[in-house]
């Protein structure tokens, strides 16, 4: 341990040409450093007094040098990575060295936090970066954008009322939902953005497993749930009666909104949900589900050109 320390110190005290530097030389170099100046000013000490902290100041200088030639967070030579020590004088004129995170580190941390707030199921990862500023406006989507902006600005005061956005393929329904999601995640809300056909495939595959319960719990509890492309899923009475209905009941009870996108207007969705095998019973169940969706959403029609890049 001691030998290691000595070696580290020797390394630190060599200049870039491998020549030994005296503590005096290092202190002189540091004299004009802003942090060191602040220390001297606050303590009223002469620069020689800093020699007592020579190793700390050497480390400080070395880390500052690393930062000036930053190789990126992953290759950061400082320990801990993404941090550097800085001298700091407290009110009792005691000198401390604090470890401060750099902006790269903070950005990466922020990114990790966002990733944990933003869950997706079969949604293209690129959509996580979409914000309102990315949404191009035209005469077709101004109303929908206005509703979306109103939705985020009133988020807490809406009593759990969501949006039902329907329209043809490629007009930007999913894209608009991504902007809403991004806006809320930036403000610390949790969002689960779910592709409906994938959801039922997943739930069926993971039935009875811990993953199933985990998924249901996330669907029920996130601040905002987005069900993308409802009506495109392979519907079974089980999916409708054992998954969707209880999910909607729980979320509306706790005033947690759901955003839907669909190619179908609500009437069409009602037909889709009736298309199981049991006739009248299914029609009634579908009707109840649709009425529940209707009473907890504002309906928005989104039309316009197909914006999907033609390949
Ligand atoms: P929909 O969900 O209605 O089928 P998408 O939201 O998937 O359509 O839109 C398809 C693609 O078109 C998006 O991935 C995006 O690249 C682009 N797009 C859609 N709406 C807009 C918009 N308002 N501004 C810019 N690009 C858009
Ligand atoms: Mg879509």
């Amino acid at each position: 341990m001691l030998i290691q320390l000595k070696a580290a110190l020797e390394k630190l005290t060599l200049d870039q040409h491998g020549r030994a530097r005296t503590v005096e030389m290092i202190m002189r170099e540091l004299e004009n450093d802003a942090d060191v100046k602040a220390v001297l000013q606050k303590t009223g000490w002469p620069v020689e007094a800093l020699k007592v902290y020579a190793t700390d100041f050497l480390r400080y200088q070395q880390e500052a040098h690393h930062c000036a030639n930053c190789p990126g967070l992953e290759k950061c030579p400082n320990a801990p990575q993404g941090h550097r020590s800085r001298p700091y004088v407290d009110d009792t004129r005691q000198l401390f060295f604090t470890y401060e995170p750099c902006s790269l580190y903070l950005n990466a941390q922020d990114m990790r936090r966002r990733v944990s707030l933003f869950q997706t199921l079969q949604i293209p990862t690129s959509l996580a970066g979409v914000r309102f500023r990315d949404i191009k406006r035209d005469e077709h989507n101004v109303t929908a954008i206005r509703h979306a902006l109103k939705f985020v600005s009133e988020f807490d005061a809406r009593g759990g009322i969501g949006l039902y956005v329907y329209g043809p393929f490629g007009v930007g329904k999913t894209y608009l939902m991504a902007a809403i999601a991004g806006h809320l995640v930036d403000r610390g809300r949790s969002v689960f953005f779910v592709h409906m056909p994938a959801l039922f495939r997943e739930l069926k595959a993971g039935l009875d497993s811990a993953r199933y319960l985990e998924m249901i719990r996330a669907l029920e509890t996130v601040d905002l749930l987005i069900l993308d492309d409802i009506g495109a899923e392979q519907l079974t009475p089980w999916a409708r009666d054992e998954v969707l209905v209880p999910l909607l009941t729980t979320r509306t009870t706790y005033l947690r909104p759901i955003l839907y996108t669909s190619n179908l207007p609500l009437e069409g969705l009602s037909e889709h949900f009736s298309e199981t095998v049991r006739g009248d019973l299914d029609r009634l169940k579908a009707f109840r589900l649709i009425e529940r969706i209707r009473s907890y959403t504002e309906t928005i029609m989104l039309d316009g050109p197909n914006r999907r890049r033609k390949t």
Side-chain angles (χ1 to χ4, degrees), residues 141-154:
N141 66 14
V142 277
T143 312
I145 295 171
R146 191 149 35 79
H147 273 92
L149 285 167
K150 190 161 147 280
F151 175 80
V152 295
S153 67
E154 296 175 345

Side-chain angles (χ1 to χ4, degrees), residues 256-267:
R256 295 176 188 139
I258 304 179
L259 304 181
Y260 304 84
T261 79
S262 184
N263 286 339
L264 305 168
L266 275 168
E267 297 68 37

Side-chain angles (χ1 to χ4, degrees), residues 78-115:
N78 294 354
Q81 287 191 317
H83 290 72
R84 55 176 280 201
S85 67
R86 290 182 71 170
Y88 156 79
V89 176
D90 74 1
D91 293 341
T92 64
R93 303 211 303 172
Q94 282 247 44
L95 177 60
F96 291 101
F97 281 78
T98 58
Y99 273 87
E100 291 181 5
C102 69
S103 62
L104 293 185
Y105 178 86
L106 289 175
N107 281 344
Q109 202 183 33
D110 199 38
M111 201 63 170
R112 276 195 296 277
R113 191 179 55 79
R114 268 173 224 219
V115 165

Side-chain angles (χ1 to χ4, degrees), residues 127 134-136 141 168-175 307-308:
L127 288 181
D134 303 312
I135 306 258
K136 295 200 185 80
N141 66 14
F169 181 80
V171 295
K173 300 182 296 296
T174 304
Y175 204 66
R307 289 179 185 267
R308 282 183 207 218

Side-chain angles (χ1 to χ4, degrees), residues 61-75:
Q61 192 188 36
Q62 187 75 29
E63 290 181 345
H65 178 74
H66 290 156
C67 290
N69 302 285
C70 175
L73 189 57
E74 257 135 58
K75 293 195 182 133

Side-chain angles (χ1 to χ4, degrees), residues 44-255:
W45 295 343
V47 72
E48 287 71 38
L50 301 182
K51 283 184 199 167
V52 182
Y53 302 92
T55 42
D56 295 313
F57 274 106
L58 278 170
R59 183 166 186 171
Y60 163 69
Q61 192 188 36
Q62 187 75 29
E63 290 181 345
H65 178 74
H66 290 156
C67 290
N69 302 285
C70 175
L73 189 57
E74 257 135 58
K75 293 195 182 133
C76 175
N78 294 354
Q81 287 191 317
H83 290 72
R84 55 176 280 201
S85 67
R86 290 182 71 170
Y88 156 79
V89 176
D90 74 1
D91 293 341
T92 64
R93 303 211 303 172
Q94 282 247 44
L95 177 60
F96 291 101
F97 281 78
T98 58
Y99 273 87
E100 291 181 5
C102 69
S103 62
L104 293 185
Y105 178 86
L106 289 175
N107 281 344
Q109 202 183 33
D110 199 38
M111 201 63 170
R112 276 195 296 277
R113 191 179 55 79
R114 268 173 224 219
V115 165
S116 71
L117 284 176
F118 191 52
Q119 298 181 69
T120 57
L121 182 67
Q122 286 259 319
I123 295 291
T125 45
S126 59
L127 288 181
V130 177
R131 296 295 180 273
F132 278 107
R133 61 176 172 270
D134 303 312
I135 306 258
K136 295 200 185 80
R137 287 162 196 247
D138 58 28
E139 72 273 24
H140 303 288
N141 66 14
V142 277
T143 312
I145 295 171
R146 191 149 35 79
H147 273 92
L149 285 167
K150 190 161 147 280
F151 175 80
V152 295
S153 67
E154 296 175 345
F155 190 74
D156 289 312
R158 290 176 64 91
I161 301 294
L163 303 172
Y164 184 86
V165 183
Y166 73 97
F169 181 80
V171 295
K173 300 182 296 296
T174 304
Y175 204 66
L176 186 60
M177 295 303 111
I180 295 178
H183 183 95
L184 290 171
V185 165
D186 289 344
R187 282 151 189 81
R189 304 315 183 115
S190 57
V191 176
F192 197 178
F193 199 161
V194 171
H195 184 53
M196 276 294 269
L199 175 66
F200 289 118
R201 276 201 303 275
E202 279 267 315
L203 288 179
K204 253 192 234 164
L207 212 63
D208 291 330
S209 73
R211 167 121 181 91
Y212 178 87
L213 290 176
E214 200 183 297
M215 175 98 78
I216 295 289
R217 180 149 179 77
L219 291 166
E220 285 178 348
T221 58
V222 282
D223 295 328
L224 176 66
L225 175 63
I226 306 175
L227 297 180
D228 192 42
D229 243 342
I230 190 168
E233 68 286 331
Q234 267 289 332
L235 201 81
T236 62
W238 165 79
R240 184 192 58 205
D241 303 334
E242 308 299 327
V243 180
L244 264 185
V245 170
L247 174 61
L248 265 58
T249 307
T250 306
R251 289 196 65 88
T252 52
T253 305
Y254 292 101
L255 309 182

